PDB file of all heavy atoms in Angstrom:
ATOM      1  N   VAL J 399     -71.561 -28.901  27.949  1.00 58.00           N
ATOM      2  CA  VAL J 399     -70.361 -29.207  28.727  1.00 58.00           C
ATOM      3  C   VAL J 399     -69.175 -29.450  27.805  1.00 58.00           C
ATOM      4  O   VAL J 399     -68.073 -28.935  28.024  1.00 58.00           O
ATOM      5  CB  VAL J 399     -70.599 -30.428  29.642  1.00 58.00           C
ATOM      6  CG1 VAL J 399     -69.279 -30.931  30.221  1.00 58.00           C
ATOM      7  CG2 VAL J 399     -71.556 -30.071  30.770  1.00 58.00           C
ATOM      8  N   GLY J 508     -62.191  -1.142  49.403  1.00 76.00           N
ATOM      9  CA  GLY J 508     -60.821  -1.406  49.834  1.00 76.00           C
ATOM     10  C   GLY J 508     -60.341  -0.422  50.884  1.00 76.00           C
ATOM     11  O   GLY J 508     -59.720  -0.819  51.883  1.00 76.00           O
ATOM     12  N   TYR J 590     -80.268 -11.737  38.245  1.00 91.00           N
ATOM     13  CA  TYR J 590     -79.238 -12.042  37.253  1.00 91.00           C
ATOM     14  C   TYR J 590     -79.871 -12.521  35.950  1.00 91.00           C
ATOM     15  O   TYR J 590     -79.410 -12.166  34.860  1.00 91.00           O
ATOM     16  CB  TYR J 590     -78.280 -13.109  37.794  1.00 91.00           C
ATOM     17  CG  TYR J 590     -77.081 -12.543  38.525  1.00 91.00           C
ATOM     18  CD1 TYR J 590     -77.204 -11.429  39.354  1.00 91.00           C
ATOM     19  CD2 TYR J 590     -75.823 -13.123  38.406  1.00 91.00           C
ATOM     20  CE1 TYR J 590     -76.120 -10.925  40.033  1.00 91.00           C
ATOM     21  CE2 TYR J 590     -74.726 -12.628  39.078  1.00 91.00           C
ATOM     22  CZ  TYR J 590     -74.882 -11.528  39.892  1.00 91.00           C
ATOM     23  OH  TYR J 590     -73.792 -11.015  40.561  1.00 91.00           O
ATOM     24  N   LEU J 645     -58.074  -4.672  46.410  1.00 75.00           N
ATOM     25  CA  LEU J 645     -59.195  -3.842  45.976  1.00 75.00           C
ATOM     26  C   LEU J 645     -58.745  -2.412  45.670  1.00 75.00           C
ATOM     27  O   LEU J 645     -59.170  -1.807  44.682  1.00 75.00           O
ATOM     28  CB  LEU J 645     -60.289  -3.846  47.044  1.00 75.00           C
ATOM     29  CG  LEU J 645     -61.052  -5.156  47.210  1.00 75.00           C
ATOM     30  CD1 LEU J 645     -61.901  -5.117  48.475  1.00 75.00           C
ATOM     31  CD2 LEU J 645     -61.903  -5.467  45.998  1.00 75.00           C
TER      32      LEU J 645
END
Side-chain angles (χ1 to χ4, degrees):
V399 168
Y590 269 39
L645 290 169

